[in-house]
Every structure is written in C-alpha cells, then in structure tokens.
Amino acid sequence: QVQLVESGGGSVQSGGSLRLSCAVSGNTHNSFTMGWFRQAPGTEREGVATVDMNGITRYADSVKGRFTISQDNAKTTVYLQMNSLKQEDTATYYCAADPGHYSPAEMPPAEFFRIWGQGTQVTVSS
C-alpha cells in the first residue's frame, strides 16, 4: 500500500520561497501520476501542479512561472518548489498519487487521484 507524507510547509512573507516534499513509500514498483493540490478554508481543493509517468508537467495558470514540480530519480520523492509566493497561495497543500494514466491534455482533477497525503500548511503573510 502506497503512503504519501508531505513536509516543508510553513510561514513565509510575500515574495518568499518554500519547497514542499512528498515522500512516497510502500509499493513503489509501479509508476504513478503525481500531483500537488491545495485547499484554503471555505474553498474547494484545486490543482496546483501534476507530473505524469512520462515526466510531463502541468500547472494551474495561477502558479505558472512561479512553482515547479519535480521528482527525484528514484521517484520516491516529489517536490514542489514555490517561488514569489503571494498571500493567495496560503492553503493546506496535499500530495496525491494514482497508478493510472490521465489521457486528456489538461491537468488531472482531484477526483482522478486515489492516494492522498495528510497535507502541509503554507501561510504567506504580507
């Protein structure tokens, strides 16, 4: 059974940077589609960035040019480098994984992912 554990969240001032990590453990022999999502209080969970089994990345328009998703060579850790953070980036960030492949060109929705981490809080202050 695959488990995901996020780390790296915290508080930062606007314009600052954070790097989130998602450690993947368990049955990692399979390849996964991986993603980062976020949810602020009173809002729905929204996609931030995803990377598929072929290494193709997709980003929400709101984070393009500021955030970068990546994996280590062993694909046991997924990162989200967040630069030029804004107050509106404040949310709980979740790592997600699924052994399936999402065919459409757009970012896979949250409903596609069957495995989730517990989340890590990111707070950006002015």
Side-chain angles (χ1 to χ4, degrees):
Q1 185 172 348
V2 174
Q3 292 184 320
L4 307 176
V5 178
E6 303 97 334
S7 62
S11 297
V12 64
Q13 288 190 321
S14 181
S17 299
L18 284 173
R19 187 175 80 158
L20 305 183
S21 299
C22 173
V24 183
S25 62
N27 180 10
T28 58
H29 296 295
N30 295 326
S31 295
F32 293 89
T33 297
M34 303 295 301
W36 285 98
F37 289 76
R38 67 187 182 187
Q39 188 169 19
T43 69
E44 293 191 356
R45 193 166 296 189
E46 64 171 350
V48 175
T50 61
V51 56
D52 71 14
M53 300 172 189
N54 297 315
I56 295 173
T57 58
R58 299 180 174 93
Y59 295 91
D61 288 342
S62 59
V63 306
K64 281 181 182 176
R66 301 189 298 123
F67 291 12
T68 303
I69 187 171
S70 63
Q71 293 178 294
D72 65 351
N73 289 336
K75 296 188 177 181
T76 57
T77 306
V78 179
Y79 303 98
L80 184 68
Q81 178 66 44
M82 305 186 295
N83 298 328
S84 302
L85 282 162
K86 305 175 181 179
Q87 284 186 273
E88 51 262 44
D89 295 319
T90 295
T92 301
Y93 283 70
Y94 297 91
C95 180
D98 196 274
H101 176 68
Y102 190 75
S103 299
E106 65 268 21
M107 182 184 297
E111 295 73 23
F112 169 78
F113 293 90
R114 285 173 279 184
I115 306 165
W116 291 86
Q118 294 300 306
T120 186
Q121 178 67 34
V122 172
T123 302
V124 184
S125 59
S126 60

